[in-house]
């Protein structure tokens, strides 16, 4: 495949990345999604829209975010040098605002008055509530009760920003159920609302839109790393739940001679219900309006999933990731809870950066890569900051001393 023309060809006009993607929704939603797709294709080529989004990113979000060399952590690992793309410094503390501001600007263009979404770790909810406040729109965020308890600071932030937080009390009460609940609400209000999905998942055109809005991360990082070092990194990695930050980080490097890695959550084991490593253990299916790889039971029902990172415990993955895995262009590895917690504490103590637990999975892989490769450099996407996780971390894992040994 010629990755120089990749973005021109994928997804196709029906929203497919090879066999994955598409639009599997009730008939009354098909026209609404078609309208969104047509509006997006219009504005994504509009100089006025692009310039307005660039202004927002510069003046409101604080972009570009920097690339940072983890000198002390690299020395501790004793091998390849570790660099971070600092999306934790993006306004609201994570990469999520990149697509939320774009989706809200699209909603404004379409004359919509309300933004509806799900959230797991709460970062997407905070980002969308921020976008709604910026544009003067209503905002409704669906969140599982388990995640509400784990991510209380983000719940408070959403409410302060004016969002209505809808607790989801059925099923496992986590991210998958929050998506179910948000979709149901959108079915009832699609005429005056837009569903701003929180990752590169869902029916077309959402996977494409989220990828495109998030590509600013990888475009910036590629230019910044080359300016800093004179070279491209040997490897680039990002954590993968649904896949938004990874799509944004990795896609701009597809045509480069660079190894690309997505890092899934291995949780506490390899059996169903112990992890959320979809591309490692999943199979083909349809859920939430799109075809991709999912973690399924023998009867094809959705399997339970687990990760200590609330933003990664989704039972599927974006269709583009499934396609690029099949193509062999991106390799998908996995990091477990303990490895992520070790990375959380070591990055905090050696570099003064507290990462989100989601991002800590990518940092964990970068540390593993650095140990195994005695030269070169790996660039990891630090997709969010860990303020939201510190109470949970201390309660469950203690002060971290046992994770800080070499």
């Amino acid at each position: 495949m010629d990755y120089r023309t990749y973005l021109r060809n994928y997804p196709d006009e029906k929203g497919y990345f090879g066999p994955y993607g598409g639009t599997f929704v009730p008939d009354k939603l098909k026209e609404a999604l078609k309208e969104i797709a047509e509006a997006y294709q219009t504005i994504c080529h509009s100089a006025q829209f692009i310039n307005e989004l660039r202004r927002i990113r510069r003046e409101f979000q604080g972009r570009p975010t920097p690339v940072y060399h983890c000198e002390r952590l690299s020395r501790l690992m004793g091998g390849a040098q570790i660099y971070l793309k600092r999306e934790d410094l993006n306004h609201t503390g994570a990469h999520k605002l990149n697509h939320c501001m774009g989706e809200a600007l699209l909603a404004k263009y379409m004359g919509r008055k309300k933004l509806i979404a799900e959230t797991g770790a709460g970062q997407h909810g905070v980002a969308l509530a921020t976008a709604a406040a910026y544009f003067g729109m209503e905002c409704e965020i669906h969140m599982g009760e388990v995640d509400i308890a784990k991510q209380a600071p983000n719940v408070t932030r959403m409410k302060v920003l004016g969002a209505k937080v809808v607790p989801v009390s059925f099923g496992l009460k986590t991210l998958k159920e929050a998506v179910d609940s948000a979709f149901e609400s959108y079915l009832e209000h699609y005429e005056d609302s837009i569903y701003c999905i929180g990752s590169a998942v869902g029916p077309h055109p959402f996977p494409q839109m989220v990828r495109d809005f998030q590509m600013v991360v990888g475009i910036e990082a590629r230019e910044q790393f080359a300016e800093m070092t004179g070279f491209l990194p040997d490897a680039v990695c990002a954590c993968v739940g649904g896949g938004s930050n990874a799509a944004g980080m990795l896609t701009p490097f597809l045509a480069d001679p660079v190894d690309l890695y997505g890092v899934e959550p291995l949780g506490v084991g390899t059996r169903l219900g112990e992890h959320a490593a979809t591309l490692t253990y999943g199979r083909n299916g349809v859920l939430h309006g799109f075809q991709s790889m999912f973690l399924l039971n023998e009867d094809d029902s959705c399997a339970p999933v687990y990760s200590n990172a609330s933003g990664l415990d989704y039972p599927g993955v974006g269709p583009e990731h499934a396609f690029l895995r099949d193509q062999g262009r991106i390799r998908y590895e996995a990091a477990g809870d303990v490895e992520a917690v070790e990375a959380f504490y070591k990055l905090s103590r050696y570099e003064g950066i507290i990462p989100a637990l989601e991002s800590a999975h990518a940092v964990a892989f970068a540390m593993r890569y650095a140990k195994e490769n005695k030269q070169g450099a790996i660039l990891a996407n630090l997709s969010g900051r860990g303020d939201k996780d510190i109470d949970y971390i201390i309660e469950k894992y203690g002060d971290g001393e046992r994770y800080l040994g070499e």
Side-chain angles (χ1 to χ4, degrees):
M1 179 183 295
D2 186 353
Y3 288 102
R4 293 172 299 178
T5 58
Y6 176 82
L7 293 175
R8 190 185 308 161
N9 298 320
Y10 296 98
D12 65 19
E13 60 183 15
K14 294 184 179 180
Y16 280 91
F17 300 86
Y20 308 107
T23 307
F24 298 83
V25 297
D27 288 341
K28 67 177 183 178
L29 267 190
K30 287 183 179 178
E31 283 302 313
L33 294 179
K34 182 180 178 182
E35 183 183 359
I36 292 172
E38 290 175 349
Y40 175 68
Q41 288 302 320
T42 298
I43 65 169
C44 75
H45 298 290
S46 162
Q48 182 179 358
F49 178 88
I50 293 169
N51 287 333
E52 176 64 7
L53 188 57
R54 284 175 175 170
R55 184 192 66 79
I56 289 170
R57 286 172 172 171
R58 181 178 64 253
E59 299 177 6
F60 183 67
Q61 294 183 226
R63 303 204 68 87
T65 58
V67 165
Y68 171 73
H69 179 209
C70 297
E71 185 176 352
R72 293 189 67 225
L73 186 63
S74 299
R75 192 181 309 127
L76 179 70
M77 295 301 104
Q81 299 300 297
I82 299 170
Y83 289 77
L84 302 177
K85 175 59 172 169
R86 296 289 306 277
E87 285 302 287
D88 58 314
L89 298 179
N90 192 35
H91 181 44
T92 73
H95 71 289
K96 295 292 187 179
L97 195 62
N98 300 328
H99 67 255
C100 286
M101 294 305 289
E103 289 173 330
L105 189 58
L106 172 63
K108 179 182 176 183
Y109 170 83
M110 297 179 68
R112 299 294 196 265
K113 299 178 180 178
K114 184 177 182 179
L115 308 177
I116 298 174
E118 83 298 328
T119 193
Q123 287 299 142
H124 176 61
V126 170
L128 195 65
T130 300
Y134 181 93
F135 288 105
M137 297 177 175
E138 295 178 55
C139 185
E140 179 180 296
I141 305 296
H142 296 248
M143 190 172 188
E145 288 183 342
V146 169
D147 293 333
I148 286 175
K150 285 174 64 177
Q151 308 292 346
N154 275 343
V155 176
T156 300
R157 293 169 74 193
M158 284 182 264
K159 292 179 178 178
V160 168
L161 289 162
K164 177 184 177 183
V165 179
V166 180
V168 179
S169 58
F170 58 88
L172 295 177
K173 307 175 186 178
T174 56
L175 184 54
K176 184 264 180 185
E177 289 76 23
V179 175
D180 292 338
S181 180
F183 255 113
E184 289 177 10
S185 179
Y186 180 54
L187 274 169
E188 297 176 7
H189 303 99
Y190 66 89
E191 293 179 343
D192 65 349
S193 303
I194 188 170
Y195 182 28
C196 299
I197 203 159
S199 193
V201 298
H204 179 66
F206 294 117
Q208 178 186 10
M209 286 169 49
V210 171
R211 176 200 70 189
D212 291 353
F213 287 136
Q214 287 294 346
M215 275 177 50
V216 65
V217 179
I219 290 170
E220 287 178 3
R222 188 179 182 278
E223 294 174 354
Q224 290 165 323
F225 191 93
E227 183 177 354
M228 290 174 71
T229 67
F231 303 95
L232 289 176
D234 297 274
V236 182
C237 71
C239 66
V240 177
S244 59
N245 90 90
M249 182 66 168
L250 302 179
T251 301
F253 290 93
L254 286 177
D256 295 318
V258 173
D259 293 332
L260 303 178
Y261 297 92
V263 187
E264 296 192 298
L266 190 57
V268 294
T270 59
R271 293 178 299 182
L272 283 179
E274 294 181 335
H275 62 83
T278 307
L279 288 169
T280 306
Y281 297 103
R283 52 193 174 89
N284 203 319
V286 175
L287 181 72
H288 293 151
F290 70 107
Q291 182 169 351
S292 188
M293 300 295 291
F294 297 94
L295 290 166
L296 303 172
N297 294 310
E298 291 184 3
D299 63 358
D300 290 337
S301 62
C302 194
V305 293
Y306 164 77
S307 169
N308 62 2
S310 296
L312 300 182
D313 61 357
Y314 183 67
V317 69
E320 188 167 18
H321 286 291
F323 177 63
L324 290 169
R325 190 280 306 267
D326 287 358
Q327 295 297 311
R329 182 61 190 98
I330 299 178
R331 290 178 56 185
Y332 292 86
E333 305 284 345
D337 282 9
V338 172
E339 195 176 3
V341 172
E342 178 186 343
F344 176 95
Y345 276 115
K346 285 186 173 176
L347 186 63
S348 299
R349 296 290 180 91
Y350 283 88
E351 299 292 345
I353 299 170
I354 303 175
L357 268 175
E358 292 78 14
S359 312
H361 285 71
V363 176
F365 176 79
M367 290 165 55
R368 187 196 309 166
Y369 179 96
K371 286 181 180 179
E372 295 172 354
N373 295 270
K374 296 305 179 184
Q375 59 185 1
I378 182 168
L379 173 61
N381 190 19
L382 192 73
S383 55
R385 68 182 183 221
D387 308 48
K388 65 183 180 60
D389 294 313
I390 52 177
D391 291 339
Y392 169 77
I393 284 278
I394 293 297
E395 180 181 344
K396 185 166 183 178
Y397 300 102
D399 61 8
E401 291 302 320
R402 64 192 176 106
Y403 297 98
L404 291 170
E406 294 187 30

